[in-house]
Amino acid sequence: MLKGKVNIVQTVNNIFMGAIEKGASDIHIEIAKDEIVVRYRVDGELRTILKTGLGIAEALVSRIKIMAGLETTGIPRPQEGKIRFSYEDREVDLRVSVFPISSGEAVVVRVLESLDVFTDFINMGFLPKQASILEVEIRRPYGLILVTGSNGSGKSTTLFSFLNKLNDPTKSLVTLEDPIERKLAMVRQTQINPDIGLTFAEGLKFLLRQDPDIIMVGEIRDKDTANISVQAAITGHLVMSTIHTNNAAGAIVRLLNMGIEPYLLASTVRMVTAQRLARKNCQNCLEEIMPSSKLLERIGAPKDCKFFKSKGCEVCEFKGTKGRIALHEVLKISKSIDNLIMTGPTDIQIEEMAKSEGMFTLREVALQRINEGVITIEEALRLIE
């Protein structure tokens, strides 16, 4: 609780600094019946960090709106803005969303990681073999690269890491996003606006006249966007995008189901990655355990696999987890898989062929992270079942 005279500027700064220090991905500021509740989303879970009286509600929300360049007067309405927040020796980008609710306005602030953190694929959770594939495939002069995964799994961060590695003055990089999350130097970024007809599909048509080398499309949502993305890849552009499927092989089947001709996919798709975000064990209180036979049967682990769990300590605030790691599946499109795509395969058929050529599935990657003590068997099952 905040007591006495409150310095609103310092209060907001403290909320932002606390979120950055704790590694929060989001800040929720909500007006309840008789108090303001501030929560951080840390390791995927919301944690209440502050409750205070309604007396500062309007000032608190107004301060954030001002920092984000939003309107502070008039009838409350949905608004989005951005803040570049100075923290220690770096700048942190904050994406602000304000939404009217019955008791006032709710504010959610997304804390965006610096791309400097994501220059090394190993640090992003890719296995060494996977990282080697990425380094080659993202540097192809043309083709289609897809990143798939559930909401909040870090797909956009992976795409931006690709762009960051490819960003140099000899290349023209353009993006279509909804919304623009991170500003990249020397990259022409556009936010789609369906109200004026600027959809992903329409935006792509115009971007192709802007002489791009590399195009990032925020998401392939429909057949039109898929068609134009494939055509752009065929005509000498490297196109990167996200698509919603459960695994890497499923992205190919999804595009086939959208009506993309098999021969076009076989000619353009270079690589598909799938990912999940897993809560990491706290390494300070980690101990080896033996799971129940039921869990062992569900995970299908080899006999020599080790299992670990963190009991909770001050370092992890007695949660047992600290930080998150991405589990990745990297499907490189080989000549054999090209030929298989021509037959209109199922995702199971594509996955089986990819496994025979050395691909690690999400389950296999999860098992490796279990054995290393990085995640628990329960966390793995939560993500892969």
Side-chain angles (χ1 to χ4, degrees):
M1 295 287 291
L2 295 175
K3 297 181 179 180
K5 188 175 181 179
V6 177
N7 183 324
I8 291 296
V9 171
Q10 190 58 53
T11 297
V12 172
N13 287 349
N14 288 342
I15 290 171
F16 290 166
M17 287 189 290
I20 296 166
E21 289 167 358
K22 289 184 177 293
S25 61
D26 300 271
I27 306 166
H28 288 239
I29 301 172
E30 299 159 354
I31 300 174
K33 183 178 180 181
D34 55 0
E35 63 185 358
I36 299 172
V37 179
V38 179
R39 297 186 292 171
Y40 292 161
R41 186 175 295 281
V42 180
D43 299 341
E45 296 181 337
L46 284 172
R47 302 177 186 178
T48 300
I49 59 100
L50 175 66
K51 291 183 178 181
T52 188
L54 292 176
I56 67 166
E58 185 175 345
L60 190 68
V61 173
S62 292
R63 172 58 185 167
I64 294 174
K65 284 182 177 180
I66 290 169
M67 294 176 74
L70 304 178
E71 291 183 11
T72 58
T73 59
I75 298 174
R77 61 183 180 84
Q79 295 189 75
E80 290 187 350
K82 295 177 183 176
I83 299 171
R84 176 62 64 88
F85 185 72
S86 296
Y87 175 75
E88 295 182 345
D89 60 348
R90 71 183 196 270
E91 300 289 318
V92 178
D93 288 325
L94 307 175
R95 193 179 77 206
V96 178
S97 172
V98 180
F99 199 83
I101 57 175
S102 59
S103 54
E105 290 178 293
V107 179
V108 176
V109 181
R110 170 65 56 88
V111 183
L112 299 171
E113 309 94 331
S114 169
L115 281 173
D116 293 339
V117 179
F118 300 106
T119 55
D120 187 323
F121 290 141
I122 300 298
N123 290 340
M124 293 175 63
F126 289 98
L127 301 178
K129 181 181 176 181
Q130 294 175 328
S132 297
I133 295 172
L134 293 180
E135 291 287 358
V136 172
E137 297 305 318
I138 67 170
R139 299 182 194 281
R140 300 285 188 193
Y142 63 90
L144 180 61
I145 290 176
L146 298 171
V147 178
T148 185
S150 54
N151 285 329
S153 62
K155 298 187 299 296
S156 294
T157 297
T158 297
L159 274 185
F160 273 101
S161 72
F162 295 168
L163 285 179
N164 209 34
K165 278 183 172 285
L166 297 172
N167 192 6
D168 71 66
T170 69
K171 300 289 184 182
S172 172
L173 281 71
V174 298
T175 73
L176 278 173
E177 304 174 54
D178 183 26
I180 296 173
E181 292 194 357
R182 296 175 174 86
K183 287 288 188 180
L184 291 175
M186 299 295 293
V187 178
R188 287 173 287 163
Q189 296 174 262
T190 300
Q191 180 166 326
I192 68 166
N193 185 351
D195 291 340
I196 62 171
L198 184 57
T199 60
F200 280 124
E202 287 300 310
L204 258 175
K205 292 178 185 177
F206 286 101
L207 276 183
L208 289 173
R209 303 185 188 119
Q210 291 278 308
D211 189 32
D213 294 299
I214 299 167
I215 304 170
M216 190 202 86
V217 182
E219 184 182 349
I220 294 178
R221 298 175 178 172
D222 51 53
K223 182 178 179 179
D224 286 344
T225 307
N227 265 323
I228 301 168
S229 297
V230 168
Q231 291 298 327
I234 288 175
T235 54
H237 305 87
L238 182 63
V239 182
M240 302 178 179
S241 189
T242 69
I243 190 167
H244 281 285
T245 58
N246 291 327
N247 56 18
I252 304 294
V253 176
R254 175 77 186 278
L255 290 173
L256 289 170
N257 290 340
M258 282 184 177
I260 306 301
E261 292 292 341
Y263 75 92
L264 291 176
L265 280 186
S267 302
T268 55
V269 180
R270 297 285 178 260
M271 177 182 71
V272 184
T273 73
Q275 62 189 69
R276 304 283 189 275
L277 267 185
R279 292 186 288 260
K280 294 169 63 177
N281 292 326
C282 173
Q283 297 300 303
N284 188 63
C285 54
L286 190 67
E287 56 185 21
E288 190 170 351
I289 62 161
M290 177 52 67
S292 67
S293 57
K294 185 177 180 180
L295 286 177
L296 289 173
E297 183 178 344
R298 284 170 61 191
I299 198 68
K303 291 183 179 180
D304 59 349
C305 186
K306 295 180 180 180
F307 301 88
F308 300 85
K309 195 164 190 173
S310 301
K311 58 185 178 181
C313 64
E314 291 184 358
V315 171
C316 61
E317 299 180 2
F318 299 96
K319 298 289 185 179
T321 60
K322 189 168 179 62
R324 292 194 287 180
I325 187 172
L327 309 179
H328 298 276
E329 184 176 87
V330 177
L331 170 61
K332 178 183 176 182
I333 308 301
S334 64
K335 187 63 179 176
S336 299
I337 295 176
D338 274 343
N339 293 334
L340 181 61
I341 291 172
M342 295 290 289
T343 69
T346 65
D347 59 339
I348 294 175
Q349 289 173 316
I350 296 172
E351 184 174 287
E352 287 302 317
M353 179 166 285
K355 285 168 62 177
S356 72
E357 295 179 349
M359 184 188 80
F360 296 116
T361 64
L362 283 169
R363 178 177 291 273
E364 290 166 340
V365 173
L367 282 169
Q368 179 165 331
R369 297 308 188 194
I370 288 172
N371 187 60
E372 294 168 347
V374 177
I375 64 174
T376 63
I377 185 173
E378 292 88 354
E379 181 69 357
L381 288 168
R382 181 181 74 86
L383 295 171
I384 64 177
E385 281 195 333

